[in-house]
Amino acid sequence: MNRDTICAIATPTGGAISIIRISGPKALSIVASVCRKNFINKKRFLSSITDQDGIVIDEAIISVFYGPYSYTGEDSAEINCHGSRYIAQRIIDLLIEKGCRMALPGEYTQRAFINGKLDLSQAEAVADLIASTNKATHQMAMSQLRGHFSSELTQLRDQLLHLTSLMELELDFSEHEDLEFANRNDLLNLAHKIEKKINQLATSFRTGQALKEGIPVAIVGKTNVGKSTLLNRLLHEERAIVSDIHGTTRDTIEDTIDIHGIQFRFIDTAGFRQTTDTIEQIGIERTLATIEKARIVLWLYDKSPTEEEIADMANRCQGRILIPVRNKIDLGNAFPYTEISSHPTINISAKQGQGIENLEEAIYKSADIPDFTENDVIITNARHYEALIHASANLKRVVQGIENSLSSDIIAEDLRLVLHDLGEITGGTITSQETLNNIFKNFCVGK
C-alpha cells in the first residue's frame, strides 16, 4: 500500500478554499509536474496549476512536507485551491492522470500509524477529535492524541516486561529449582499495583462513554404536564409538538444540549396514563424502556403526586438519579411539599422560562462528572475497554499464580497475555490487516 501515491480532497465542498492532500513516494514529483513554479527547497509558495495542455486551472498555494517530517511520515503536499467543486475535481483528475490514486477513508492516518508517526490509540483519537462537539469530548480526544493514554500504557508495559524478564530468566535456569531471581512478595506488590491502574482506566470507560455519546436524561410524567414544552425550552427551539390534547407525544423525541461543556441527551417521552389507544400504549412502553437506559430522570408534574405514585417512580428509577420537577408555577398551583427523592424539587415554569437555569444547574451537578483536564486519561473507546478488561482478567491470574506458588512458566505465560492485551490498544501486537481496516474505515476520506 505504501508504494502508492495517494490524493484526496480534505475539505467539505462549498467553502471558500479546498485543500487537496497528496502523499507517497512520488508526491513531490507529481505536484511539481502540475505546477508552473519550481519548488526545490521551498515549503510554501504560490503557483499556477496547469493541465496537460498547459491551460491554467487555478492559482493555488502549495505546501510541501518532506518525509519523515510530515503527518504520514512520507513526502507529502497540500494544494490550497479555490473552493469550486469543478476546480477541485479538475485538479484531482489531473493528479490521477499523473500517477496518484484516490485515497481510501482514513488512509493518511493509517499511513501515519504504519510509519510510526502515531500509535493506534492516537490514530483513533484523530477521528474522535474530528467528531468532538463540546469541551469535554475535545479534551478527551486531545489527551489521547497527545499520547497521555499511550504514556500510561507504556509505563504499565515496562513494569510488566520487568516481571516477565525475571520470570523468563528463572526458566533459563530451571534445572536449579531453588534459584529465584524475583522476590515473590515484590512481584505480588507490583502485580497488584498494575492491576489497580488497569482497573482504574477501565472504570473510567463509563464516564468516557457518557461524555462522548451524551449523558441520557429522560423527561417523564403524566400527559399534559409540559414535558414537550420543557424540552423545547431546554433546546431553545420548537423541537416537540405542544398541545393541550392528552397523548400528543406518542414516541420518544431526542436531542442534545451543552451544559457547562458537557453534552446531555434529552429524551421527551410519552406521558403516563390509562389508555386504550394501541399506538399511545406502545409509546408508554417505550417511556419505561427509556427510563431503564437513562442516567438522570426528570419527573415532571403539575399536581402533588400521591404516595403511591412516588413509590412507583422511586421503584422504576432505582440506580438512576431522580430529579422531581414541579412545573407551571406561573399558574400559582401551590401544594404541600412532599419529599420525593434525595434530590430537592426544582420549581419551574417551562412555558415562561422560570427556574430553567436552576434546573440545568441541578442536571449538571447530578451527572457528577469529575473535573478533568487534557492531561487526564479517560477511556472512550470500546475496543480499548475490552482490551483492558482482558488484561485485568489475565493479570488476576498472575496474582493468583504468585499467591498459590505456581511455577514460573505458568505465571510468565499469563504475563505475556497481559502484554498482548495492552499492546493491542496501541497497535504494538496487531498484525491483522482486517483489524486495521475495520478501525480506519469510518474515517473521512482525506484524513
Side-chain angles (χ1 to χ4, degrees), residues 13 42 56 88 94 146 198 200 211 313 327 366 382 386:
T13 57
K42 293 181 180 178
V56 175
L94 183 60
R146 290 182 173 180
I198 289 175
Q200 179 186 334
L211 293 174
M313 185 59 69
N327 192 24
S366 296
E386 185 177 355

Side-chain angles (χ1 to χ4, degrees), residues 113 119-121 124 149 153 157 383-384 386-388 390 417-432 435-436 439:
F113 163 68
D119 67 33
L120 199 53
S121 69
E124 289 170 302
F149 183 31
L153 294 178
R157 293 194 78 197
R383 190 182 69 82
H384 301 169
E386 185 177 355
L388 288 169
H390 289 162
L417 291 174
V418 178
L419 285 167
H420 174 81
D421 293 330
L422 297 182
E424 284 215 337
I425 296 174
T426 57
T429 60
I430 287 185
T431 56
S432 169
T435 302
L436 291 179
I439 288 170

Side-chain angles (χ1 to χ4, degrees), residues 171-390:
L171 292 175
D172 289 340
F173 292 88
S174 57
E175 65 273 12
H176 303 283
E177 294 183 2
D178 59 339
L179 193 61
E180 194 175 83
F181 287 94
N183 181 284
R184 289 302 186 264
N185 286 332
D186 291 342
L187 289 178
L188 188 59
N189 290 335
L190 183 55
H192 275 306
K193 180 181 176 182
I194 296 172
E195 183 183 24
K196 182 179 178 181
K197 185 61 181 179
I198 289 175
N199 289 338
Q200 179 186 334
L201 289 171
T203 301
S204 72
F205 178 68
R206 182 173 181 268
T207 298
Q209 277 293 93
L211 293 174
K212 187 176 180 179
E213 297 180 0
I215 297 170
V217 182
I219 305 174
V220 303
K222 292 182 178 179
T223 58
N224 223 25
V225 294
K227 297 186 299 298
S228 296
T229 303
L230 175 58
L231 177 66
N232 291 339
R233 175 66 65 179
L234 290 166
L235 297 176
H236 304 288
E237 64 173 287
E238 297 298 314
R239 177 70 173 81
I241 298 173
V242 177
S243 170
D244 292 332
I245 301 172
H246 288 271
T248 303
T249 302
R250 299 190 172 202
D251 201 351
T252 57
I253 300 172
E254 186 173 329
D255 216 326
T256 60
I257 67 169
D258 186 294
I259 303 177
H260 301 322
I262 305 297
Q263 181 171 275
F264 290 85
R265 184 157 43 87
F266 285 87
I267 308 140
D268 179 21
T269 62
F272 293 121
R273 71 166 181 159
Q274 295 295 325
T275 179
T276 57
D277 189 305
T278 303
I279 296 177
E280 188 178 350
Q281 184 59 44
I282 292 173
I284 294 172
E285 290 172 2
R286 290 185 179 180
T287 295
L288 300 177
T290 299
I291 293 175
E292 292 291 324
K293 297 176 183 177
R295 184 163 173 175
I296 299 171
V297 177
L298 304 183
W299 182 19
L300 197 66
Y301 54 88
D302 58 1
K303 295 179 181 178
S304 183
T306 66
E307 292 294 333
E308 182 181 356
E309 289 171 337
I310 293 172
D312 179 63
M313 185 59 69
N315 182 59
R316 292 186 187 280
C317 295
Q318 286 185 12
R320 287 149 199 86
I321 299 161
L322 175 62
I323 302 178
V325 183
R326 173 191 167 199
N327 192 24
K328 303 183 183 180
I329 60 172
D330 55 306
L331 301 180
N333 55 344
F335 46 81
Y337 171 76
T338 304
E339 186 173 329
I340 293 174
S341 75
S342 58
H343 198 290
T345 300
I346 308 296
N347 295 307
I348 69 164
S349 168
K351 185 176 182 180
Q352 301 297 331
Q354 295 174 252
I356 297 301
E357 288 186 5
N358 293 337
L359 177 59
E360 289 180 343
E361 195 65 31
I363 293 168
Y364 174 77
K365 290 180 178 178
S366 296
D368 196 26
I369 299 299
D371 292 331
F372 64 93
T373 67
E374 288 181 9
N375 295 323
D376 296 320
V377 176
I378 296 178
I379 306 304
T380 63
N381 188 300
R383 190 182 69 82
H384 301 169
Y385 174 70
E386 185 177 355
L388 288 169
I389 292 298
H390 289 162

Side-chain angles (χ1 to χ4, degrees), residues 153-179:
L153 294 178
T154 298
Q155 292 178 29
L156 293 178
R157 293 194 78 197
D158 287 345
Q159 293 171 339
L160 287 167
L161 282 170
H162 176 66
L163 283 176
T164 307
S165 63
L166 293 175
M167 290 293 181
E168 298 284 357
L169 196 57
E170 289 182 6
L171 292 175
D172 289 340
F173 292 88
S174 57
E175 65 273 12
H176 303 283
E177 294 183 2
D178 59 339
L179 193 61

Side-chain angles (χ1 to χ4, degrees), residues 389-431:
I389 292 298
H390 289 162
S392 178
N394 288 323
L395 195 54
K396 190 169 291 185
R397 286 202 297 271
V398 171
V399 170
Q400 292 171 346
I402 297 172
E403 290 176 337
N404 296 323
S405 302
L406 297 183
S407 62
S408 298
D409 57 335
I410 295 176
I411 297 173
E413 178 58 31
D414 286 329
L415 282 170
R416 291 188 202 102
L417 291 174
V418 178
L419 285 167
H420 174 81
D421 293 330
L422 297 182
E424 284 215 337
I425 296 174
T426 57
T429 60
I430 287 185
T431 56

